[in-house]
């Protein structure tokens, strides 16, 4: 039959199923195909903390959302246009997010009495009118898959496991995705088990053919490639980009990397990735606990490696005393916090930005630490490189605040030219820097660089520079233990001044305020940090599309704050601070700049929805324009 | 205050290991002196503290290693003994409570050309840092841990420690401690440490001999040093230092039958260690067949007998304890193996240019080009 082809500028698809149904893989493959096709895209995997929650239940539902478009997009989207539900629980858990008119593709095979009961349905939603406002496609995905792969002699269970590839094939046909990358992927992944490999490829092709031949799907959609800046691209998740950024920092600084860490969701993938890169001189140490992980990293930094530790909020709590030691000993150290929902164990697989104040202030004593945050999955690469630069140049622990949304989400990433990456100079001390009375050369470990206030980094093995450091207060210059009141006050303020001086090395903060140049700038500024960049940017665009004037600023550096920030804030009548916490950056801005910043706060473990935020921004813009014409 | 006395212990033997603990540390052919290893910092322990004796012994012992001084690193935690690094003119870090083994693990793994020492106490190593200690021991990271055991908290002014005897009356236990103590040697053997020894602050010769063996051992060496705190736990080790010490100290010498006590005419001690129902016990030497006296085997791959011997230490006030090297066996170290994996990974790389390899890494996977 001839199919109708419909043009769309963007689509949001959510694949949902049981934790064991392979939804993450399905979403990942669809994403890869879309990336290869040239769409802009953003993804949002969402899964339970349990590895295999009871089959068919609501807590066991795992999903993967992908938003792809013919133009530049910033978020994985708020509400899916298409839901693929592999069982009743997946339908029930996700149907509430669908807009009227959305398409639902269900695997009817799993809509048994038992599975319906497990999901809490007394009547099948396929048989009453509860889905009346959606376009529902009832497809026996499992049955057709089992039939299609019969020839490979798999057990019924194994055969049915290829149903996710059938679904992927069907969706690939619906949206005209290229299939080569997935076939190549399956060939490689199951190379050692030919029957499974062939079954998956066959299921994938059968799904595609089913879409093409069945009358149930009358429309094929086309989403043209998005215009992008010239370059070579790949799709990348935040954790992978962050790990690559650290490896790049090792190359550009010439320092061997030492990752001391303890597995924790959602940061473990950084350990997994870095453990593959031993050829770059990367040592990974899986420690007995969080404290040992950072301790070993500090030890490695003391002897001339770049120490790194990666964790999530609960791990930072355990590492706090050690971060203080790195502050006192003034050693380079990168502390990665992939934030998750808290407090305590909280929501391990969900996202949140609630560790900002912990990063800034969560230590005993006055222990200033630079804090930086990436704004998108691909930006994790640049943020990690920046963390390495600051740590090495200023001899300080640096807190790098990613989060679960960035860690597992993905987007197209323009691969940078390695030659363009700036070099980082470890500038090891090799000679004495001081003379004792009588003119004999000596080494003072706390004699600072006049510009950066960094202390010299003299590593063991360097003759004549033997010295001792530690957690007790150090005397200015010589670095011996000092209990002198005036010295302590001086050292506290010097440590603070050193971190503040990092602001001198930052590029000017850019304000996105399109009409400001015409003298008709916005009155409302939206300011954020970290992973809310996408929703804020998307929300701001929506407001502008309907004629609203709004400015946007996004912070990479939260400590120190950019020097021009105070002046920028003073230009606007209203400051709106969207955050996935109860107002932590807002508290900081109010305290630092005495501005009456307004919060837009969401702490539900999920990314902020662009549409909701746009409404809030729009309301604020309208009320501000009214009261300050 | 008790006066330090030499125990004149028989010297433990340093068994040759296939590779020394300092095998990759650059050496210095010039004669070195204790003075070179002494920093300009004033030593601030209490008068009569056992730490002075250990410091002197270490300052004298280090030059004999013949290593380059700048390639020696001392790491400590928190407590009286943890001030140790400040008094040595080597590289050093006085870190935070209990974490020295973790920090030293990073140091030893990152650099094979460093000789790494940890100085810790019974509270630092066995209470707050217990986890790091047992994991360093099981991993067998190449470092020497000096565990100063005075069976009390000194720097916080006199609370009971994890090695204090049950019933001990201290500031925090006015009715007596109800904690059962650790035996550090038993703990280390339970963690399958490859080198475990015990010595005494006041016996410089024995202490130095044990240090030599520990430094030469490739892997984690745990040396428990009984150390008197004259302020908060004075006399804790008097029994093994006093006139009747021959009845209190059970000397361990590899390959020798274990006897102690007043000497018999044949030169053996009047008391002997014999096997007993899976463990060991003390028997009058003359009551047992000479062939039944346990011969100490520090190289036994199975730590069970060494553990049984370690149980001869009194858990209460110390009236009897084995002294010497309990265990000294060969096992691949964590750091050597970790470095070997890096070397293997690098060996497979034909292009040495890290920039080109970085470009290949980040440009890998499914890519597409926009013109």
């Amino acid at each position: 039959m001839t199919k109708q082809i419909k043009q769309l500028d963007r689509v949001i698809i959510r694949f949902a199923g049981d934790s064991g149904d392979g939804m993450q893989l399905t979403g990942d493959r669809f994403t890869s195909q879309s990336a290869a096709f040239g769409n802009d895209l953003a993804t949002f995997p969402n899964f339970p903390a349990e590895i295999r929650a009871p089959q068919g239940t609501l807590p066991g539902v795992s999903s993967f959302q992908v938003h792809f478009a013919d133009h530049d997009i910033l978020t994985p989207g708020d509400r899916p246009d298409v839901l693929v539900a592999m069982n009743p629980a997946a339908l029930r858990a996700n149907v509430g997010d669908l807009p009227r008119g959305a398409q639902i593709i269900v695997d009817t095979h799993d809509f048994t009495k038992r599975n319906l009961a497990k999901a809490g349905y007394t009547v099948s939603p396929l048989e009453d009118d509860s889905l009346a406002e959606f376009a529902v496609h009832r497809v026996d995905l499992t049955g057709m898959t089992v039939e299609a792969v019969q020839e490979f002699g798999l057990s019924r269970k194994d055969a049915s496991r290829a149903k996710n590839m059938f679904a992927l094939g069907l969706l690939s046909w619906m949206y005209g995705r290229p299939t080569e990358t997935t076939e190549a992927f399956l060939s490689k992944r199951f190379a050692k088990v030919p029957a499974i490999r062939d079954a998956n490829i066959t299921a994938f092709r059968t799904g595609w053919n089913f879409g093409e031949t069945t009358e149930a799907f009358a429309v094929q959609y086309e989403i043209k490639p998005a215009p992008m800046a010239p370059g070579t691209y790949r799709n990348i998740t935040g954790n992978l980009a962050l790990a690559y950024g650290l490896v790049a920092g090792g190359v550009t600084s010439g320092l061997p990397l030492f990752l001391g860490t303890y597995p924790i969701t959602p940061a473990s993938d950084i350990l997994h990735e870095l453990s593959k890169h031993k050829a770059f001189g990367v040592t990974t140490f899986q420690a007995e606990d969080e404290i040992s992980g950072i301790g070993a990293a500090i030890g490695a930094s003391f002897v001339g490696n770049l120490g790194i530790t990666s964790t999530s909020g609960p791990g930072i709590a355990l590492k706090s005393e050690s971060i203080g030691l790195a502050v006192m000993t003034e050693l380079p150290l990168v502390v990665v916090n992939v934030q998750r929902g808290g407090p305590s164990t909280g929501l391990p697989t969900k996202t949140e930005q609630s560790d900002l104040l912990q990063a800034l202030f969560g230590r005993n004593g006055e222990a200033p630490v630079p804090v930086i945050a990436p704004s998108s999955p691909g930006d994790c690469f640049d943020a990690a490189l920046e963390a390495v630069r600051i740590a090495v140049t200023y001899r300080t622990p640096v807190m790098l605040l990613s989060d679960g949304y960035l860690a597992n989400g993905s987007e197209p990433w323009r691969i940078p030219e390695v030659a363009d990456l700036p070099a980082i100079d470890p500038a090891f001390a090799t000679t004495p820097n001081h003379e004792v009375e009588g003119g004999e050369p000596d080494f003072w470990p706390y004699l600072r660089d006049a510009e950066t206030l960094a202390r010299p980094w003299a590593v063991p093995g360097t003759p004549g520079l033997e010295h001792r450091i530690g957690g007790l207060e150090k005397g200015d210059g010589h670095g011996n233990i000092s209990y002198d009141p005036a010295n302590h006050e001086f050292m506290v303020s010097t440590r603070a001044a050193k971190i503040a001086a990092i602001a001198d090395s930052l590029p000017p903060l850019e304000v996105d305020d399109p009409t400001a140049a015409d003298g008709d700038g916005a009155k409302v500024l939206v300011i954020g940090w970290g992973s809310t960049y996408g929703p804020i940017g998307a929300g701001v665009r929506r407001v502008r599309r309907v004629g609203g004037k709004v400015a946007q600023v996004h912070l990479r550096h939260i400590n120190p704050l950019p020097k021009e920030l105070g002046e920028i804030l003073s230009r606007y009548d209203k400051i709106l601070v969207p955050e996935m916490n109860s107002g932590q950056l807002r508290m900081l801005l109010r305290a630092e700049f005495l501005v009456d910043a307004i919060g837009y706060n969401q702490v539900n473990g999920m990314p902020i929805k662009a549409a909701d935020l746009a409404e809030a921004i729009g309301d604020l813009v309208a009320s501000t324009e009214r009261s300050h014409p | 205050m008790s006066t330090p006395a030499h125990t004149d212990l028989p010297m433990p033997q340093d068994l040759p290991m296939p590779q020394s603990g300092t095998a990759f540390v650059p050496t210095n052919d010039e004669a070195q002196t204790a003075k070179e290893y002494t920093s300009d910092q004033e030593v601030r322990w209490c008068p009569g503290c056992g730490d002075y004796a250990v410091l002197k012994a270490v300052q004298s012992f280090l030059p004999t290693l013949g290593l380059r001084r700048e390639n020696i690193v001392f790491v400590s935690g928190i407590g009286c003994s943890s001030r140790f690094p400040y008094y040595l003119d080597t590289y050093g870090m006085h870190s935070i409570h209990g974490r020295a083994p973790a920090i030293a693990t990073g140091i030893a793994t990152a650099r094979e050309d460093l000789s790494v020492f940890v100085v810790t106490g019974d509270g630092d190593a066995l209470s707050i840092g217990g986890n790091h200690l047992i994991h360093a021991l099981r991993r067998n990271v190449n470092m020497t841990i000096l565990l100063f055991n005075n069976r009390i908290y000194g720097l916080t002014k006199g609370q009971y420690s994890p090695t204090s005897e049950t019933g001990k009356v201290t500031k925090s236990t006015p009715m007596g401690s109800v904690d059962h103590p650790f035996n550090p040697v038993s703990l280390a053997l339970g963690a399958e440490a490859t080198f475990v020894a015990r010595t005494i602050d006041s016996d410089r010769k024995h202490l130095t001999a044990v240090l030599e063996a520990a430094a030469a051992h490739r892997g984690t060496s745990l040396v428990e040093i009984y150390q008197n705190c004259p302020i908060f736990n004075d006399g804790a080790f008097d029994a093994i230092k006093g006139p009747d010490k021959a009845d209190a100290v059970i000397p361990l010498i590899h390959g020798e039958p274990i006897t102690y006590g007043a000497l018999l005419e044949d030169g053996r001690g009047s008391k002997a260690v014999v096997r007993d129902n899976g463990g060991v016990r003390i028997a009058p030497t003359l009551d047992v067949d000479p062939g039944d006296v346990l011969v100490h085997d520090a190289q036994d791959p199975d730590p069970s007998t060494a553990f049984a011997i370690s149980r001869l230490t009194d858990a209460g006030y110390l009236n009897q304890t084995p002294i010497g090297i309990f265990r000294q066996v060969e096992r691949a170290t964590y750091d050597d193996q970790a470095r070997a994996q890096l070397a293997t990974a690098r060996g497979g790389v034909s292009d040495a240019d890290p920039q080109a390899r970085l470009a290949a890494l980040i440009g890998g996977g499914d890519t597409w080009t926009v013109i």
Side-chain angles (χ1 to χ4, degrees):
Chain A
M1 64 179 286
T2 317
K3 301 266 181 171
Q4 184 192 344
I5 292 188
K6 206 171 155 183
Q7 297 285 334
L8 294 175
D9 63 348
R10 65 187 192 101
V11 177
I12 301 163
I13 299 176
R14 186 182 293 177
F15 297 93
D18 215 43
S19 293
D21 282 344
M23 291 299 98
Q24 300 304 318
L25 175 69
T26 309
D28 204 49
R29 290 320 313 159
F30 192 91
T31 302
S32 203
Q33 294 172 183
S34 300
F37 182 73
N39 291 128
D40 194 14
L41 58 87
T43 70
F44 179 55
N46 191 11
F47 45 86
E50 293 75 17
I51 303 303
R52 292 277 189 278
Q55 209 175 6
T57 62
L58 291 172
V61 174
S62 164
S63 70
F64 188 104
Q65 184 164 312
V66 51
H67 180 188
F68 56 105
D70 68 358
H71 57 279
D72 160 37
I73 54 169
L74 296 169
T75 77
D78 296 349
R79 288 150 119 29
D81 304 305
V82 182
L83 171 68
V84 179
M86 303 301 280
N87 65 13
L91 176 66
R92 193 182 175 96
N94 291 287
V95 73
D97 291 341
L98 303 181
R100 181 185 290 267
Q103 300 197 59
I104 302 175
I105 299 168
V106 292
D107 181 4
T108 53
H109 185 269
D110 269 13
F111 277 66
T112 60
K113 208 171 166 190
R114 195 173 131 80
N115 282 339
L116 287 162
K118 275 195 213 169
Y121 284 117
T122 46
V123 178
S124 172
L126 303 181
E127 284 156 22
D128 62 15
D129 59 358
S130 61
L131 303 177
E133 63 187 60
F134 308 112
V136 182
H137 303 276
R138 298 166 173 78
V139 186
D140 183 3
L141 292 172
T142 305
M144 284 194 283
T145 302
V146 170
E147 198 176 318
V149 306
Q150 215 167 16
E151 59 179 296
F152 304 109
L154 297 171
S155 69
R156 193 178 161 79
K157 194 177 159 208
D158 279 346
S160 69
R161 289 185 64 182
K163 67 186 172 190
N164 63 332
M165 285 301 114
F166 186 99
L168 179 63
L170 173 59
L171 272 291
S172 299
W173 169 81
M174 277 177 74
Y175 295 98
R177 307 287 92 182
T179 57
E180 298 80 6
T181 57
T182 290
E183 295 206 2
F185 170 87
L186 292 171
S187 298
K188 198 171 155 194
R189 174 144 188 172
F190 299 113
K192 286 183 184 152
V193 213
I196 305 255
R197 174 196 64 200
D198 297 343
N200 275 286
I201 293 175
T202 302
F204 179 60
R205 289 179 184 164
T206 310
W208 174 286
N209 294 336
F210 172 73
E212 199 162 47
T213 52
T214 183
E215 292 182 12
F217 292 89
V219 185
Q220 198 180 18
Y221 301 93
E222 203 172 86
I223 298 91
K224 293 211 161 67
M228 293 191 191
T232 301
Y233 288 78
R234 66 183 286 172
N235 188 48
I236 200 159
T237 65
N239 270 350
L240 182 60
L242 197 150
Y244 282 179
L246 293 171
V247 173
V251 170
T252 57
S253 66
L255 294 170
L257 302 186
F258 185 102
L259 175 75
T261 189
Y262 187 79
I264 185 170
T265 301
S268 302
D269 281 341
I270 297 169
L271 163 63
H272 304 160
E273 185 60 34
L274 286 178
S275 68
K276 297 177 197 164
H277 301 303
K278 294 178 170 60
F280 282 95
V282 179
T283 301
T284 52
F285 170 58
Q286 183 178 314
E288 61 271 19
D289 60 27
E290 296 279 359
I291 301 172
S292 174
I294 187 172
I298 290 171
S301 280
F302 180 56
V303 300
N305 282 21
L306 176 61
I308 301 163
T309 193
S310 55
T311 188
S312 189
I316 296 292
L318 288 163
K319 294 178 199 290
S320 296
E321 187 193 16
S322 305
I323 297 170
L325 176 67
V327 168
M328 201 65 152
T329 54
E330 303 192 33
L331 287 169
L333 180 73
V334 176
V335 181
V336 180
N337 178 358
V338 185
Q339 298 166 97
R340 65 190 214 186
S344 186
T345 310
L347 303 169
T349 59
K350 308 299 176 192
T351 195
E352 216 160 278
Q353 293 182 300
S354 47
D355 298 345
L356 177 61
L357 295 180
Q358 180 196 42
L360 289 165
F361 306 116
R363 289 164 295 282
N364 62 302
E366 300 213 342
V369 166
V371 178
I372 69 174
S375 59
S376 72
D379 189 48
C380 288
F381 180 87
D382 293 327
L385 259 180
E386 174 67 350
V388 173
R389 179 190 75 87
I390 294 174
V392 172
T393 308
Y394 295 87
R395 322 298 199 208
T396 177
V398 175
M399 192 79 76
L400 178 54
L401 286 183
S402 179
D403 62 33
Y405 171 69
L406 297 178
N408 295 315
S410 66
E411 66 174 353
W413 176 58
R414 188 163 64 149
I415 301 162
E417 290 293 331
V418 171
D420 295 344
L421 302 177
I424 298 168
D425 183 7
F428 289 120
T430 53
T431 53
N433 57 357
H434 180 74
E435 282 182 4
V436 291
E437 280 175 50
E440 205 171 314
D442 195 7
F443 177 68
W444 276 19
Y446 281 76
L447 206 54
R448 296 170 187 281
D449 179 272
E451 190 189 331
T452 61
L453 297 180
R455 75 173 190 89
W457 190 10
V459 301
T462 316
L465 272 51
E466 295 85 359
H467 65 280
R468 277 66 55 195
I469 57 175
L472 283 170
E473 182 60 283
K474 300 283 161 279
D476 178 38
H478 54 73
N480 293 322
I481 300 171
S482 170
Y483 299 112
D484 177 55
N487 176 75
H488 177 55
E489 185 132 23
F490 177 79
M491 292 299 273
V492 167
S493 59
T494 302
R495 283 186 286 267
K498 179 178 86 166
I499 302 307
I502 296 167
D504 294 337
S505 69
L506 305 182
L509 185 62
E510 283 177 30
V511 185
D512 172 26
D513 188 354
T515 54
D518 311 332
D520 184 26
K523 295 188 169 64
V524 172
L525 174 74
V526 187
I527 180 167
W529 66 279
S531 77
T532 46
Y533 174 76
I536 294 174
V540 163
R541 284 183 189 178
R542 287 175 190 225
V543 171
R544 288 179 184 159
R545 267 205 297 273
V546 294
K549 282 186 297 176
V550 57
Q552 186 192 355
V553 146
H554 207 75
L555 298 175
R556 143 108 61 242
H557 298 86
I558 302 117
N559 192 37
L561 288 164
K563 291 200 287 192
E564 50 279 76
L565 181 59
E567 187 276 317
I568 290 170
L569 295 178
S570 71
R571 283 188 231 152
Y572 296 89
D573 294 328
K574 296 283 182 194
I575 312 289
L576 183 69
V577 194
E579 292 178 89
M580 293 188 291
N581 60 40
S582 299
Q584 301 192 10
L585 176 65
R586 177 172 47 119
M587 180 188 286
L588 183 72
L589 296 178
R590 284 169 162 250
E592 285 284 320
F593 302 110
L594 287 173
V595 293
D596 188 14
I598 304 162
Y600 177 90
N601 303 97
Q602 175 185 305
V603 201
N604 63 359
M606 301 290 283
I608 291 172
K609 288 189 161 74
D612 298 349
L613 180 56
E615 199 179 320
I617 298 170
D619 288 350
L620 183 62
V621 169
S623 70
T624 309
E625 296 285 349
R626 270 200 305 276
S627 56
H628 304 267
Chain B
M1 195 182 297
S2 70
T3 46
H6 283 277
T7 53
D8 306 318
L9 289 171
M11 289 301 108
Q13 283 164 302
D14 179 17
L15 305 170
M17 293 288 291
Q19 196 162 51
S20 163
T22 56
F24 304 111
V25 183
T27 54
N28 182 354
D29 294 338
E30 290 170 32
Q32 301 177 42
T33 63
K35 193 163 173 288
E36 289 172 66
Y37 280 87
T38 306
S39 78
D40 60 357
Q41 295 297 294
E42 183 193 1
V43 184
R44 291 186 196 163
W45 288 309
C46 305
C49 177
D51 290 357
Y52 282 99
V54 184
L55 177 62
K56 281 281 169 215
V58 169
Q59 285 168 338
S60 301
F61 151 73
L62 288 176
T64 66
L65 287 174
L67 304 175
R68 295 192 68 91
R69 187 159 51 92
E70 64 269 22
N71 288 75
I72 297 174
V73 182
F74 273 76
V75 186
S76 63
I78 293 293
C80 294
S81 59
S82 286
R83 299 295 175 95
F84 210 93
Y86 289 120
Y87 308 137
L88 292 170
D89 200 3
T90 64
Y91 282 89
M93 191 193 296
H94 174 219
S95 73
I96 46 178
H97 209 5
R99 317 305 170 200
I103 291 166
T105 294
I107 293 173
T109 305
R111 296 271 301 269
E112 66 177 2
D113 63 332
L114 301 176
S115 176
V116 183
F117 290 83
V118 166
V119 178
T120 182
D122 41 319
D124 193 53
L126 301 171
S127 263
I128 194 166
N131 199 32
H132 308 310
L133 180 74
I134 57 173
H135 287 277
L137 295 173
R138 79 169 165 89
R139 286 192 188 103
N140 201 31
V141 183
N142 191 25
M143 63 170 92
T144 298
I145 300 175
L146 310 183
L147 197 170
F148 292 46
N149 183 7
N150 56 14
R151 308 189 72 187
I152 199 75
Y153 278 56
L155 200 59
T156 50
K157 303 193 177 178
Q159 300 82 11
Y160 71 102
S161 91
T163 58
S164 296
E165 58 273 24
T166 304
K168 191 165 193 74
V169 174
T170 71
K171 274 184 188 158
S172 59
T173 50
M175 294 175 71
S177 158
V178 294
D179 272 25
H180 184 75
F182 266 142
N183 174 331
V185 168
S186 297
L187 184 78
L189 291 167
E192 296 186 56
T194 55
F195 183 103
V196 184
R198 176 182 288 147
T199 183
I200 307 173
D201 58 358
S202 55
D203 189 335
R204 176 117 163 224
K205 251 172 86 181
H206 190 266
L207 172 62
T208 303
V210 168
L211 288 179
E212 280 169 5
H217 177 73
R218 192 154 194 87
T220 309
S221 307
L222 181 92
V223 180
E224 182 191 10
I225 305 172
Y226 282 151
Q227 174 248 323
N228 191 52
C229 172
I231 307 297
F232 296 111
N233 201 18
D234 194 24
F237 306 105
D238 275 2
I240 58 168
K241 296 177 178 181
D244 297 327
K245 65 194 178 195
D247 275 327
V249 172
I250 307 171
L252 302 177
I253 302 157
H254 178 71
E256 298 280 325
I258 309 172
T259 69
Y260 67 111
L263 292 186
L264 301 172
E265 283 180 5
D266 61 6
R268 295 184 298 160
S270 57
K271 292 185 277 189
V273 176
V274 296
R275 288 194 185 276
D276 178 49
N277 194 26
V280 300
R281 68 181 165 86
I282 308 295
T285 307
L286 293 174
D287 289 0
V288 297
D289 188 314
D292 287 345
V293 176
L294 183 64
V295 175
H296 182 47
D297 181 6
Q299 294 180 321
D300 186 348
D302 182 345
S304 306
T305 304
F307 184 85
I309 295 169
S310 77
R311 303 315 295 161
L312 296 172
T313 310
D314 290 319
Y317 183 80
L318 198 71
N319 285 306
Q320 170 185 285
T321 188
I323 295 283
I325 297 172
F326 288 74
R327 187 163 201 246
Q328 185 173 4
V329 299
E330 186 198 348
R331 191 172 81 222
T333 71
Y334 174 87
D335 49 308
D336 282 338
Q337 294 179 93
R339 285 187 295 264
Q341 287 194 344
L342 256 65
T344 303
R346 288 177 158 182
V349 176
S350 54
D351 180 3
D353 177 7
Q355 300 238 341
R357 286 192 289 123
L358 177 61
L361 172 69
I362 64 177
D366 294 335
T367 63
W368 69 98
T369 300
V370 176
I371 303 163

